[in-house]
Amino acid sequence: MSKGRAEAAVGAAGILLRYLQEQNRPYSAQDVFGNLQREHGLGKAAVVKALEQLAQQGKIKEKTYGKQKIYFADQDQFGMVSDADLQGLDAKIVALTAKVQSLQQTCRHMEAEMQKEIQELKKECAVYTERLKNIKVATNHVTPEEKEQVYRERQKYCKEWRKRKRMATELCDAILEGYPKSKKQFFEEVGIETDEDYNVKLPDP
């Protein structure tokens, strides 16, 4: 092995050892690779090799389930945990789970209300867009005041549409900061449908 590759292997092992100790939960090589690839640029082969070396050196533990190997930090290094500590952790888990469920329920309710209002705004916007189109074709059929009124109403509803879309986006972003899954998975679980799902775009101002 070249000097450069040896240094890279040592670096990968250090990164993986620190990661497993910090997370203190079991992972497969594929899980570790997926979680660290973007941040550290580690290749899958390097991850697999480093995990196997760490296990052989006794720095981490390895368990085999069927055809899959699972790696986790050596629990001896963390010492004993008291019953009081475990009960405290259980209470935190219950509280956090309840908070997540509450946020999801609130988000579903707000999303349903916003989706309803957005659909109404889309319909009204479409009506005024059609009216505006007709006005442009036959400007002599309406007064300048009527034309200006249609323009103002169209701008009003487009502005409201844009405002509510921004509110929905900010709400979802806030929830996703503490959400353990991806944005796509969150949208699927909550049942959020976006304008992009229906190829709908806000009209130009």
Side-chain angles (χ1 to χ4, degrees):
M1 180 184 293
S2 67
K3 181 179 179 181
R5 290 186 177 180
E7 291 177 347
V10 172
I15 292 170
L16 299 183
L17 178 59
R18 183 168 60 254
Y19 178 74
L20 290 177
Q21 290 175 339
E22 290 175 351
Q23 300 300 316
N24 193 24
R25 53 167 291 183
Y27 288 103
S28 67
Q30 180 62 42
D31 291 334
V32 176
F33 167 68
N35 295 342
L36 300 180
Q37 178 189 22
R38 181 176 297 179
E39 182 179 356
H40 298 284
L42 299 176
K44 186 174 181 180
V47 170
V48 172
K49 187 171 183 179
L51 288 172
E52 290 177 347
Q53 288 178 343
L54 288 170
Q56 291 172 359
Q57 294 167 1
K59 295 180 179 180
I60 63 173
K61 296 297 183 180
E62 174 187 284
K63 294 287 185 182
T64 301
Y65 297 93
K67 296 182 179 180
Q68 188 176 47
K69 290 183 178 180
I70 300 298
Y71 300 91
F72 52 93
D74 185 355
Q75 299 302 298
D76 292 340
Q77 66 181 305
F78 297 112
M80 297 296 293
V81 180
S82 67
D83 290 340
D85 289 335
L86 290 175
Q87 291 175 357
L89 289 172
D90 286 338
K92 287 182 179 179
I93 291 172
V94 171
L96 289 172
T97 301
K99 184 177 180 180
V100 169
Q101 292 175 344
S102 176
L103 286 172
Q104 287 177 336
Q105 185 175 0
T106 301
C107 183
R108 289 191 187 99
H109 176 71
M110 294 184 68
E111 176 62 22
E113 291 296 319
M114 283 188 282
Q115 284 292 339
K116 182 180 178 181
E117 292 190 30
I118 287 173
Q119 291 303 322
E120 292 298 322
L121 289 170
K122 286 179 181 178
K123 291 177 183 178
E124 294 185 32
C125 190
V127 170
Y128 285 111
T129 300
E130 184 63 25
R131 285 181 59 185
L132 182 60
K133 179 181 176 182
N134 294 333
I135 289 171
K136 288 180 177 179
V137 174
T139 54
N140 60 320
H141 292 173
V142 295
T143 65
E145 291 77 14
E146 289 175 328
K147 184 177 179 179
E148 181 62 28
Q149 178 66 20
V150 171
Y151 271 113
R152 286 199 300 269
E153 289 178 345
R154 177 179 181 272
Q155 289 177 336
K156 171 187 173 183
Y157 286 112
C158 287
K159 181 180 179 181
E160 189 67 19
W161 182 356
R162 189 175 287 105
K163 173 185 174 183
R164 292 186 181 278
K165 182 174 182 178
R166 184 176 67 251
M167 288 171 58
T169 300
E170 290 175 353
L171 174 64
C172 290
D173 288 344
I175 292 175
L176 284 167
E177 288 182 2
Y179 193 69
K181 300 180 182 179
S182 68
K183 182 177 182 179
K184 180 179 180 181
Q185 290 174 311
F186 171 67
F187 279 15
E188 289 176 351
E189 288 183 3
V190 177
I192 295 176
E193 296 177 338
T194 65
D195 292 343
E196 290 74 15
D197 291 336
Y198 294 93
N199 295 319
V200 177
K201 293 184 179 179
L202 273 166
D204 293 331

